[in-house]
Amino acid sequence: MTQTLQFINIPPQTNQPPKGLIVILHGWGANAEDVAHLLPFVRLPEYQFIFPNAPYPYPYSAIGRAWYDLQTENLYKGLSESRQQLIDWLKSLETSTGVPLSRTILSGFSQGGAMTLDVGVTLPLAGLISMSGYLHPIAMKDETKNDSSLKISTDTDLPPVLIMHGRQDTVVPLQAAVIARQTLESSGFSVEYHEFDMGHEIRPEMLELLRNFIVANT
């Protein structure tokens, strides 16, 4: 695994200091370029966007990346290492970009959405956005209590959360979004929740909600 995350950095188009920092995590088998293609449709020229590549190679494509293994025989292998690397990298962005975590929104699609919910609850971020994501069934539990309490940050306000999911998603079933919403709300998070008549994908109406959420929380 690489020691630091490689990423695509898109500064504000206004030649002014960024109003906020938006980090978007790709899904299993995709890469930073895949989600960077969404940027023109988000229409937030005053913000800085960063699209990191996951640290692990994808087993079925030379250009795909993975946050951890999803093959049955190695399910979740690499998650703890990827989690810590992502946390350290996010903390370093404040120095390199000049934007504090309090004005940084972490978002992601599918496996990237799962990493967003996993890592995001531990940091003083401005907000979290999960698109077709899920909670890690083991990693999101507090093993010392043997219950489903989220490992949340205790010294900062809880960031608001936006969850969007397709009703016809056959890759990550809708029930994953329902469980994520219920678990987060029971842990004190404010959750904005939307379902769409679609599969495992990102639609323009989702990006409009993402845009509104960013503007409202940075």
Side-chain angles (χ1 to χ4, degrees), residues 4-5 7 21 85-99 101:
T4 184
L5 296 178
F7 57 89
L21 177 63
Q85 188 171 3
L86 183 57
I87 289 172
D88 293 342
W89 177 77
L90 286 167
K91 289 179 177 178
S92 75
L93 292 180
E94 187 165 355
T95 299
S96 62
T97 67
V99 181
L101 289 175

Side-chain angles (χ1 to χ4, degrees), residues 118-130:
D118 185 312
V119 166
V121 299
T122 70
L123 296 171
L125 294 160
L128 310 176
I129 302 173
S130 173

Side-chain angles (χ1 to χ4, degrees), residues 167-197:
R167 297 188 184 97
Q168 290 82 42
D169 194 330
T170 58
V171 177
V172 179
L174 178 64
Q175 185 63 17
V178 174
I179 291 172
R181 177 187 188 181
Q182 293 172 343
T183 304
L184 288 163
E185 287 182 337
S186 67
S187 298
F189 287 84
S190 173
V191 180
E192 180 182 343
Y193 179 87
H194 297 274
E195 296 178 5
F196 299 89
D197 286 321

Side-chain angles (χ1 to χ4, degrees), residues 51-197:
F51 307 90
N53 269 317
Y56 294 105
Y58 178 61
Y60 306 116
S61 166
I63 62 173
R65 307 297 298 177
W67 295 100
Y68 50 85
D69 204 336
L70 282 176
Q71 298 174 101
T72 303
E73 63 271 22
N74 292 312
L75 192 60
Y76 296 116
K77 182 179 180 181
L79 172 57
S80 60
E81 295 85 355
S82 195
R83 176 193 296 121
Q84 189 58 55
Q85 188 171 3
L86 183 57
I87 289 172
D88 293 342
W89 177 77
L90 286 167
K91 289 179 177 178
S92 75
L93 292 180
E94 187 165 355
T95 299
S96 62
T97 67
V99 181
L101 289 175
S102 60
R103 288 196 289 118
T104 299
I105 286 184
L106 179 62
S107 60
F109 174 73
S110 194
Q111 191 184 59
M115 291 300 294
T116 292
L117 296 178
D118 185 312
V119 166
V121 299
T122 70
L123 296 171
L125 294 160
L128 310 176
I129 302 173
S130 173
M131 298 174 282
S132 304
Y134 53 94
L135 291 178
H136 295 135
I138 298 175
M140 292 302 290
K141 294 181 180 180
D142 186 340
E143 291 87 351
T144 62
K145 296 181 180 179
N146 196 28
D147 62 20
S148 58
S149 299
L150 293 178
K151 293 181 178 179
I152 64 176
S153 173
T154 57
D155 57 354
T156 58
D157 294 333
L158 302 181
V161 182
L162 171 61
I163 294 177
M164 298 180 282
H165 214 100
R167 297 188 184 97
Q168 290 82 42
D169 194 330
T170 58
V171 177
V172 179
L174 178 64
Q175 185 63 17
V178 174
I179 291 172
R181 177 187 188 181
Q182 293 172 343
T183 304
L184 288 163
E185 287 182 337
S186 67
S187 298
F189 287 84
S190 173
V191 180
E192 180 182 343
Y193 179 87
H194 297 274
E195 296 178 5
F196 299 89
D197 286 321

